Amino acid sequence: MRKAYTPETAAADVEKTLQVLEGRWKLLIVFHLFGGKIQRYSELERLIPGISPKMLAQQLRQLEADGLVLRTLYPQVPPKVEYRLTDWGQALCPALDALLQWAEKRPEAGDPRE
């Protein structure tokens, strides 16, 4: 059964949800993992120019703690670590697609539809 929202509770829950994706790099990491892609740490470093190793590790840990990313550590030398989206993280794709479609409808400055 779906939760009933008031304007106040809806705003609060959306704000909490957006905090999960807050940060300069989280959405970029998520987009690189959509579609069931599995990426190693070094691949993500290469795919995201400008991110420091410390920041990548921090953002991945936060995404993992929030249940969006699954980290798999293979017991070998050197250690092999892979990242992929959880089912819940993958379910974010349609919401982000809808957000992109919404953004495309933004009227230009001076447009009479404003």
Side-chain angles (χ1 to χ4, degrees):
M1 177 183 232
R2 188 160 176 206
K3 183 177 176 180
Y5 288 102
T6 66
E8 292 79 14
T9 60
D13 284 1
V14 167
E15 183 177 12
K16 271 195 302 191
T17 301
L18 290 175
Q19 286 174 350
V20 170
L21 300 171
E22 242 179 8
R24 180 174 176 189
W25 306 104
K26 285 183 183 177
L27 281 173
L28 198 49
I29 292 167
V30 167
F31 273 98
H32 281 295
L33 296 174
F34 273 142
K37 291 181 188 164
I38 297 171
Q39 301 284 3
R40 294 185 65 179
Y41 181 89
S42 59
E43 292 168 330
L44 287 168
E45 264 187 317
R46 185 178 43 77
L47 290 168
I48 307 171
I51 192 169
S52 70
K54 177 184 174 186
M55 184 56 66
L56 178 58
Q58 180 183 25
Q59 300 285 276
L60 285 166
R61 276 194 304 273
Q62 289 174 1
L63 288 166
E64 183 183 10
D66 287 330
L68 287 155
V69 169
L70 181 66
R71 177 181 186 263
T72 304
L73 173 64
Y74 296 93
Q76 63 186 50
V77 177
K80 178 181 174 183
V81 180
E82 293 179 336
Y83 296 91
R84 69 173 180 84
L85 290 178
T86 61
D87 290 343
W88 187 62
Q90 188 63 43
L92 184 59
C93 188
L96 294 177
D97 282 343
L99 193 58
L100 287 171
Q101 290 172 9
W102 172 77
E104 289 171 2
K105 294 177 183 176
R106 181 178 181 187
E108 297 294 323
D111 189 323
R113 294 177 289 166
E114 285 186 45

